[in-house]
Protein backbone atom coordinates (compact mmCIF):
# COMPACT_ATOMS: atom_id res chain seq x y z
CA UNK A 1 0.00 0.00 0.00
CA UNK A 2 2.81 2.35 0.94
CA UNK A 3 4.61 1.60 -2.32
CA UNK A 4 1.44 2.36 -4.26
CA UNK A 5 1.23 5.77 -2.56
CA UNK A 6 4.83 6.56 -3.50
CA UNK A 7 4.20 5.61 -7.13
CA UNK A 8 1.06 7.76 -7.18
CA UNK A 9 2.93 10.75 -5.74
CA UNK A 10 5.70 10.28 -8.31
CA UNK A 11 3.19 10.29 -11.15
CA UNK A 12 1.50 13.38 -9.72
CA UNK A 13 4.81 15.25 -9.55
CA UNK A 14 5.73 14.14 -13.08
CA UNK A 15 2.36 15.24 -14.45
CA UNK A 16 2.75 18.64 -12.79
CA UNK A 17 6.12 19.21 -14.46
CA UNK A 18 4.89 17.89 -17.82
CA UNK A 19 1.88 20.21 -17.90
CA UNK A 20 3.99 23.24 -17.03
CA UNK A 21 6.46 22.36 -19.77
CA UNK A 22 3.66 21.84 -22.28
CA UNK A 23 2.29 25.30 -21.51
CA UNK A 24 5.71 26.85 -22.16
CA UNK A 25 6.12 24.93 -25.41
CA UNK A 26 2.63 25.93 -26.57
CA UNK A 27 3.51 29.61 -26.03
CA UNK A 28 5.63 29.36 -29.17
CA UNK A 29 2.52 28.78 -31.30
CA UNK A 30 -0.18 30.51 -29.23
CA UNK A 31 -0.44 33.73 -27.27
CA UNK A 32 -0.18 33.66 -23.49
CA UNK A 33 -3.90 34.47 -23.31
CA UNK A 34 -4.74 31.25 -25.16
CA UNK A 35 -6.24 28.38 -23.18
CA UNK A 36 -3.66 26.12 -24.81
CA UNK A 37 -1.01 28.01 -22.83
CA UNK A 38 -2.60 29.04 -19.54
CA UNK A 39 -4.78 25.91 -19.28
CA UNK A 40 -1.89 23.49 -18.67
CA UNK A 41 -0.30 26.01 -16.32
CA UNK A 42 -3.43 26.27 -14.18
CA UNK A 43 -3.94 22.50 -14.05
CA UNK A 44 -0.25 22.03 -13.23
CA UNK A 45 -0.43 24.54 -10.37
CA UNK A 46 -3.54 22.82 -8.97
CA UNK A 47 -1.80 19.44 -9.10
CA UNK A 48 1.28 20.93 -7.45
CA UNK A 49 -0.84 22.28 -4.59
CA UNK A 50 -2.49 18.86 -4.19
CA UNK A 51 0.92 17.21 -4.16
CA UNK A 52 2.20 19.56 -1.43
CA UNK A 53 -0.93 19.10 0.68
CA UNK A 54 -0.77 15.32 0.46
CA UNK A 55 2.96 15.35 1.23
CA UNK A 56 2.27 17.19 4.48
CA UNK A 57 -0.39 14.71 5.61
CA UNK A 58 1.18 11.32 4.90
CA UNK A 59 3.65 9.67 7.26
CA UNK A 60 6.23 8.56 4.69
CA UNK A 61 6.65 11.44 2.28
CA UNK A 62 8.16 11.25 -1.17
CA UNK A 63 9.92 14.56 -0.54
CA UNK A 64 10.04 15.66 3.11
CA UNK A 65 8.84 19.26 3.57
CA UNK A 66 11.76 21.59 3.91
CA UNK A 67 14.34 19.14 2.52
CA UNK A 68 15.13 21.25 -0.52
CA UNK A 69 14.58 24.58 1.25
CA UNK A 70 17.93 24.58 3.05
CA UNK A 71 19.68 27.59 1.42
CA UNK A 72 22.76 25.79 0.15
CA UNK A 73 20.82 22.81 -1.13
CA UNK A 74 18.18 24.94 -2.84
CA UNK A 75 20.79 27.13 -4.49
CA UNK A 76 22.69 24.07 -5.64
CA UNK A 77 19.61 22.42 -7.13
CA UNK A 78 18.51 25.58 -8.95
CA UNK A 79 22.06 25.99 -10.26
CA UNK A 80 22.11 22.43 -11.58
CA UNK A 81 18.85 23.03 -13.44
CA UNK A 82 20.10 26.28 -14.96
CA UNK A 83 23.41 24.74 -16.03
CA UNK A 84 21.60 21.85 -17.70
CA UNK A 85 19.22 24.28 -19.40
CA UNK A 86 22.07 26.45 -20.69
CA UNK A 87 23.90 23.42 -22.06
CA UNK A 88 20.77 22.31 -23.92
CA UNK A 89 20.08 25.82 -25.22
CA UNK A 90 23.50 26.27 -26.78
CA UNK A 91 23.47 22.82 -28.39
CA UNK A 92 19.96 23.21 -29.80
CA UNK A 93 20.16 26.86 -30.84
CA UNK A 94 23.59 26.78 -32.43
CA UNK A 95 22.77 23.57 -34.32
CA UNK A 96 19.70 25.24 -35.86
CA UNK A 97 21.57 28.48 -36.46
CA UNK A 98 24.60 26.93 -38.16
CA UNK A 99 22.68 24.45 -40.30
CA UNK A 100 19.48 26.30 -41.19
CA UNK A 101 20.64 29.92 -41.24
CA UNK A 102 24.33 29.66 -42.09
CA UNK A 103 24.04 26.53 -44.23
CA UNK A 104 26.78 24.54 -42.49
CA UNK A 105 26.95 20.78 -42.99
CA UNK A 106 26.25 18.35 -40.16
CA UNK A 107 29.94 17.48 -39.93
CA UNK A 108 31.07 21.12 -39.76
CA UNK A 109 28.43 21.83 -37.11
CA UNK A 110 29.55 18.87 -35.02
CA UNK A 111 33.20 19.93 -35.25
CA UNK A 112 32.27 23.46 -34.18
CA UNK A 113 31.13 22.07 -30.81
CA UNK A 114 34.49 20.43 -30.04
CA UNK A 115 35.79 23.48 -28.11
CA UNK A 116 32.72 23.33 -25.88
CA UNK A 117 33.26 19.65 -25.06
CA UNK A 118 37.04 19.97 -24.61
CA UNK A 119 36.64 22.97 -22.31
CA UNK A 120 34.18 21.09 -20.09
CA UNK A 121 36.55 18.14 -19.80
CA UNK A 122 39.52 20.36 -18.89
CA UNK A 123 37.65 22.59 -16.44
CA UNK A 124 36.08 19.59 -14.70
CA UNK A 125 39.59 18.46 -13.82
CA UNK A 126 40.49 21.71 -12.09
CA UNK A 127 37.12 22.38 -10.45
CA UNK A 128 37.62 19.88 -7.61
CA UNK A 129 40.90 21.38 -6.33
CA UNK A 130 39.37 24.85 -6.51
CA UNK A 131 36.39 23.71 -4.43
CA UNK A 132 38.71 22.20 -1.84
CA UNK A 133 40.71 25.43 -1.62
CA UNK A 134 38.09 28.15 -1.96
CA UNK A 135 34.79 26.43 -1.14
CA UNK A 136 31.92 25.25 -3.29
CA UNK A 137 29.97 28.49 -2.91
CA UNK A 138 32.74 30.63 -4.37
CA UNK A 139 33.31 28.23 -7.26
CA UNK A 140 29.59 28.21 -7.94
CA UNK A 141 29.46 32.01 -7.90
CA UNK A 142 32.46 32.24 -10.22
CA UNK A 143 30.87 29.73 -12.58
CA UNK A 144 27.66 31.74 -12.69
CA UNK A 145 29.54 34.91 -13.63
CA UNK A 146 31.64 33.17 -16.30
CA UNK A 147 28.50 31.58 -17.75
CA UNK A 148 26.82 34.99 -17.84
CA UNK A 149 29.75 36.47 -19.76
CA UNK A 150 29.69 33.59 -22.25
CA UNK A 151 25.96 33.98 -22.79
CA UNK A 152 26.44 37.73 -23.13
CA UNK A 153 28.90 37.11 -25.97
CA UNK A 154 26.48 34.72 -27.64
CA UNK A 155 23.75 37.37 -27.32
CA UNK A 156 25.60 39.22 -30.12
CA UNK A 157 24.52 36.46 -32.49
CA UNK A 158 23.54 37.79 -35.91
CA UNK A 159 23.04 36.50 -39.44
CA UNK A 160 26.72 37.03 -40.24
CA UNK A 161 28.33 36.57 -36.81
CA UNK A 162 31.92 35.38 -37.11
CA UNK A 163 32.56 32.01 -35.49
CA UNK A 164 35.92 33.07 -34.06
CA UNK A 165 34.54 36.32 -32.64
CA UNK A 166 31.16 35.29 -31.21
CA UNK A 167 30.50 31.55 -31.26
CA UNK A 168 33.94 30.26 -30.25
CA UNK A 169 34.57 32.51 -27.21
CA UNK A 170 30.94 32.21 -26.19
CA UNK A 171 31.15 28.41 -26.23
CA UNK A 172 34.41 28.29 -24.30
CA UNK A 173 33.28 30.71 -21.61
CA UNK A 174 29.90 29.05 -21.21
CA UNK A 175 31.43 25.57 -21.04
CA UNK A 176 33.88 26.70 -18.35
CA UNK A 177 31.13 28.42 -16.39
CA UNK A 178 28.76 25.46 -16.58
CA UNK A 179 31.51 23.11 -15.37
CA UNK A 180 32.20 25.29 -12.34
CA UNK A 181 28.50 25.67 -11.62
CA UNK A 182 27.82 21.93 -11.79
CA UNK A 183 30.84 21.07 -9.63
CA UNK A 184 30.05 23.64 -6.98
CA UNK A 185 26.33 22.98 -6.92
CA UNK A 186 26.82 19.21 -6.58
CA UNK A 187 28.72 19.79 -3.34
CA UNK A 188 26.17 22.33 -2.12
CA UNK A 189 23.26 20.01 -2.89
CA UNK A 190 24.77 17.25 -0.74
CA UNK A 191 25.81 19.52 2.15
CA UNK A 192 24.67 18.35 5.59
CA UNK A 193 22.58 15.50 4.15
CA UNK A 194 22.03 12.73 6.73
CA UNK A 195 23.29 9.33 5.64
CA UNK A 196 19.80 7.86 5.50
CA UNK A 197 18.75 10.60 3.06
CA UNK A 198 21.74 10.30 0.73
CA UNK A 199 19.65 8.42 -1.83
CA UNK A 200 16.94 11.06 -1.66
CA UNK A 201 19.50 13.83 -2.19
CA UNK A 202 20.92 12.03 -5.21
CA UNK A 203 17.44 11.55 -6.66
CA UNK A 204 16.60 15.22 -6.17
CA UNK A 205 19.83 16.20 -7.91
CA UNK A 206 18.99 13.98 -10.88
CA UNK A 207 15.51 15.49 -11.00
CA UNK A 208 17.00 18.98 -11.03
CA UNK A 209 19.28 17.95 -13.87
CA UNK A 210 16.27 16.75 -15.88
CA UNK A 211 14.17 19.81 -15.04
CA UNK A 212 16.73 22.11 -16.65
CA UNK A 213 16.34 20.80 -20.22
CA UNK A 214 12.60 20.40 -19.66
CA UNK A 215 11.44 23.59 -17.97
CA UNK A 216 14.42 25.94 -18.16
CA UNK A 217 15.22 25.25 -21.79
CA UNK A 218 11.56 25.56 -22.75
CA UNK A 219 11.32 28.91 -20.95
CA UNK A 220 14.35 30.30 -22.76
CA UNK A 221 13.01 29.14 -26.11
CA UNK A 222 9.68 30.76 -25.27
CA UNK A 223 11.65 34.01 -25.02
CA UNK A 224 13.18 33.33 -28.44
CA UNK A 225 9.71 32.79 -29.88
CA UNK A 226 8.72 36.37 -28.97
CA UNK A 227 10.92 37.77 -31.76
CA UNK A 228 9.82 37.58 -35.42
CA UNK A 229 13.33 36.83 -36.67
CA UNK A 230 14.78 33.47 -35.61
CA UNK A 231 18.34 34.71 -35.17
CA UNK A 232 17.20 37.70 -33.16
CA UNK A 233 15.13 35.34 -31.02
CA UNK A 234 18.16 33.13 -30.39
CA UNK A 235 20.15 36.19 -29.33
CA UNK A 236 17.37 37.22 -26.94
CA UNK A 237 17.31 33.72 -25.45
CA UNK A 238 21.06 33.86 -24.82
CA UNK A 239 20.79 37.34 -23.35
CA UNK A 240 17.94 36.34 -21.05
CA UNK A 241 19.88 33.30 -19.87
CA UNK A 242 22.87 35.55 -19.19
CA UNK A 243 20.77 37.80 -16.94
CA UNK A 244 19.47 34.74 -15.09
CA UNK A 245 23.02 33.55 -14.44
CA UNK A 246 24.01 36.99 -13.12
CA UNK A 247 21.11 36.76 -10.67
CA UNK A 248 22.21 33.24 -9.76
CA UNK A 249 25.73 34.47 -9.00
CA UNK A 250 24.37 37.28 -6.82
CA UNK A 251 22.11 34.94 -4.87
CA UNK A 252 24.82 32.31 -4.49
CA UNK A 253 27.31 34.90 -3.26
CA UNK A 254 24.81 36.30 -0.78
CA UNK A 255 23.59 32.98 0.63
CA UNK A 256 26.70 30.88 0.46
CA UNK A 257 29.75 33.12 0.93
CA UNK A 258 30.02 32.56 4.69
CA UNK A 259 28.88 28.95 4.89
CA UNK A 260 30.54 27.46 1.81
CA UNK A 261 34.14 28.29 2.75
CA UNK A 262 34.25 25.19 4.92
CA UNK A 263 32.54 22.88 2.43
CA UNK A 264 34.99 20.62 0.64
CA UNK A 265 35.16 17.23 -0.91
CA UNK A 266 36.40 15.37 2.15
Amino acid sequence: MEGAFIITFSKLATLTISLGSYGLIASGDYSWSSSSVYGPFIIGIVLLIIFLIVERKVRDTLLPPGFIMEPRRLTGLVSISLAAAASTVIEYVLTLYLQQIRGWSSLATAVSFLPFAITMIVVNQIASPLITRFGAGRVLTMGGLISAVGLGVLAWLSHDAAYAVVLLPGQILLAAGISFVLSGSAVQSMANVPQHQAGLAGGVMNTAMELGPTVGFTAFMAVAATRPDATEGYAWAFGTAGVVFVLLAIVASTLLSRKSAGVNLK
Side-chain angles (χ1 to χ4, degrees), residues 43-114:
I43 298 175
I45 292 173
V46 171
L47 292 177
L48 176 61
I49 294 174
I50 295 174
F51 173 79
L52 295 175
I53 292 175
V54 173
E55 282 285 279
R56 289 184 176 276
K57 292 185 177 296
V58 298
R59 184 185 64 180
D60 297 316
T61 61
L62 179 65
L63 181 62
F67 180 80
I68 65 173
M69 297 310 295
E70 195 277 330
R72 282 179 292 179
R73 188 169 303 120
L74 179 60
T75 304
L77 293 173
V78 172
S79 302
I80 289 173
S81 292
L82 288 176
S87 178
T88 305
V89 166
I90 190 172
E91 293 172 6
Y92 179 81
V93 166
L94 292 189
T95 297
L96 292 180
Y97 169 77
L98 291 174
Q99 292 189 6
Q100 296 185 359
I101 297 177
R102 300 296 293 270
W104 286 30
S105 66
S106 299
L107 177 60
T109 300
V111 171
S112 73
F113 281 104
L114 284 177

Side-chain angles (χ1 to χ4, degrees), residues 80 95 121 180 196 221:
I80 289 173
T95 297
I121 294 173
F180 285 132
H196 71 278
M221 294 313 298

Side-chain angles (χ1 to χ4, degrees), residues 4 20 26 37 74 102 112 121 130 149-150 169 174 177 179 189 205 215 222 257:
V37 177
L74 179 60
R102 300 296 293 270
S112 73
I121 294 173
L130 289 177
V149 174
L174 182 56
S179 296
S189 299
M205 284 179 57
V215 179
S257 58

